Amino acid sequence: MTYLQAGGSIYIEGVEIGYYHATGQLYDSGLWGYLGSLYLGDGNATGNVSQLHGQNMWFGAGMLFGYPYGQTPDTWVDILGPAGVGSGLQFVDQLNQGRIVSYQPPGQTYRTITSGVCFCAFSENAPMSTQQRLMARLVGFMVGEDAIPPGAIASVEAQLAGTTMTLSWTPVTQDAQGDPEHLDCYLVERGISAAGPWTAVGIPVNASYSGQAPGAGDPDLHSFYRIRALDATGNLGAAALAAEFEFAIDHP
């Protein structure tokens, strides 16, 4: 606790992490109050978690991992939830039960991650959901020193084939100050105008995206796309825009 109060950060995991260490439990030492996490249940002796779905916040955003259902890491997996301002649910299981919680307490410099599942047991879904990519995000969140966003997207190309829009752009390799960037992925959003409102449609790892354009074939509907780079800490770079336009021709 002294370490946290001095600005240190901590990652803590274990299938019985809440059962033994949460407030009022057997080994309650007062630490749980610093973790911004609620212990909601002990789970089952087996048959708890088969999938881990990242929530729409950094560091879990866009991630999906498998988990060894019914095997040793799936024994008595605690159910966790966020507790108060600064706390967030990062991963839920296939039944939408909380398994990983992050915490950035207001007015404090430390950060914590509390996990009821074992990182080493995560089954990867490449190219996005890999242990290496998630670990880079975890470290970025814990250290929290990188506040410089990636550089802007450049040279966007858009090609419409039927109702499928394919976007490609020059990969971002530098941050906004021109230094080398550790890029995580790109965020692609679609809107009904150049000002939005925006809806996320993809988080590609490579510098391309392909998906349905709802306005294709209808001159009264247009699809606008906003593309931004994300680094491992979750900083968003400046946006580049592309659009799909069609116009009706009136003959006199």
Side-chain angles (χ1 to χ4, degrees):
M1 290 181 281
T2 300
Y3 165 75
L4 292 174
Q5 291 171 339
S9 295
I10 187 171
Y11 172 94
I12 184 169
E13 72 170 35
V15 294
E16 293 278 34
I17 190 67
Y19 180 79
Y20 284 115
H21 298 283
T23 302
Q25 298 300 102
L26 184 60
Y27 297 114
D28 176 16
S29 63
L31 175 63
W32 201 261
Y34 287 80
L35 300 180
S37 181
L38 293 175
Y39 166 59
L40 301 178
D42 192 27
N44 305 314
T46 189
N48 296 281
V49 180
S50 62
Q51 292 182 326
L52 289 164
H53 298 258
Q55 300 303 283
N56 189 26
M57 62 184 302
W58 204 259
F59 48 85
M63 294 214 158
L64 171 63
F65 290 92
Y67 199 74
Y69 188 81
Q71 301 179 44
T72 301
D74 189 40
T75 303
W76 299 114
V77 182
D78 289 344
I79 303 169
L80 306 176
V85 178
S87 180
L89 191 57
Q90 291 283 354
F91 280 87
V92 300
D93 65 17
Q94 73 283 354
L95 299 178
N96 204 39
Q97 299 178 115
R99 302 298 182 175
I100 301 179
V101 173
S102 64
Y103 187 42
Q104 297 175 256
Q108 302 289 333
T109 56
Y110 76 86
R111 301 182 179 191
T112 69
I113 299 170
T114 308
S115 174
V117 287
C118 301
F119 180 89
C120 63
F122 288 17
S123 298
E124 297 183 335
N125 286 297
M128 170 58 73
S129 302
T130 66
Q131 289 186 341
Q132 181 177 358
R133 184 177 299 278
L134 178 56
M135 181 56 71
R137 292 186 180 188
L138 295 177
V139 172
F141 171 81
M142 298 286 285
V143 175
E145 293 179 347
D146 180 11
I148 303 171
I153 301 290
S155 302
V156 180
E157 295 184 2
Q159 183 175 11
L160 184 65
T163 61
T164 300
M165 173 66 79
T166 299
L167 305 172
S168 59
W169 55 90
T170 303
V172 174
T173 59
Q174 296 180 326
D175 65 22
Q177 295 183 352
D179 295 319
E181 178 64 278
H182 183 83
L183 200 69
D184 180 274
C185 60
Y186 300 90
L187 174 62
V188 180
E189 299 164 294
R190 185 173 60 230
I192 59 175
S193 76
W198 301 103
T199 300
V201 294
I203 311 181
V205 173
N206 300 313
S208 64
Y209 163 81
S210 182
Q212 292 297 301
D218 187 339
D220 294 324
L221 296 175
H222 308 298
S223 293
F224 292 78
Y225 293 86
R226 181 170 71 174
I227 310 161
R228 293 180 288 176
L230 279 139
D231 64 19
T233 311
N235 296 312
L236 274 165
L241 295 178
E244 182 272 326
F245 291 103
E246 294 173 62
F247 299 96
I249 300 176
D250 292 328
H251 295 283

